[in-house]
Amino acid sequence: CEKGWRGDDCSIPECAQNCNNFGKCVAPDTCQCRQWPNEWTDGRVEGGFPLFRKPNGDPQMTGWTGYDCATPICTQAERFRLNVDTNAYSAKR
C-alpha cells in the first residue's frame, strides 16, 4: 500500500492523529468532523427561524472542526444557556 493507506485492498486510510468527538479518518491524515445545523431559533411561533443563518437562510453548522476534530464550532446567542439540566442537579441537593 502507498503511505497513509492500509488493508487488503489498500482502501483504509490511516490518520496519525486521533479523530476526536466521533470524527472519522477519511483520507491519509484527514479527519471528517461531526457537524450538524445549530438549533438556536428566534422564538417565533411554530419554531421560528435560525438565529445564525447562511445567506440562503439555512442554519449555520455547529459541531467540531480542526485537523483532529477537537475544536468546537461556537455560535453566539442573545443570552447564555447551559447545556445541562440545572433542575435535575438542584433536586439532588
Side-chain angles (χ1 to χ4, degrees), residues 8-92:
D8 293 338
D9 60 355
C10 302
S11 65
I12 301 171
E14 292 186 311
C15 287
Q17 74 282 12
N18 289 329
C19 297
N20 299 296
N21 299 301
F22 303 102
K24 180 170 111 175
C25 187
V26 294
D29 298 329
T30 304
C31 293
Q32 180 179 32
C33 302
R34 189 168 166 256
Q35 296 180 1
W36 58 92
N38 80 70
E39 297 178 1
W40 297 93
T41 60
D42 58 12
R44 294 182 195 184
V45 177
E46 297 181 15
F49 295 99
L51 284 177
F52 308 100
R53 295 182 286 241
K54 297 176 184 176
N56 68 357
D58 290 343
Q60 289 181 351
M61 301 301 280
T62 190
W64 303 94
T65 190
Y67 77 99
D68 62 354
C69 301
T71 306
I73 299 171
C74 298
T75 57
Q76 300 291 323
E78 265 183 46
R79 59 189 167 96
F80 180 77
R81 295 184 194 182
L82 291 175
N83 62 356
V84 295
D85 183 0
T86 56
N87 294 328
Y89 178 73
S90 61
K92 293 179 182 180

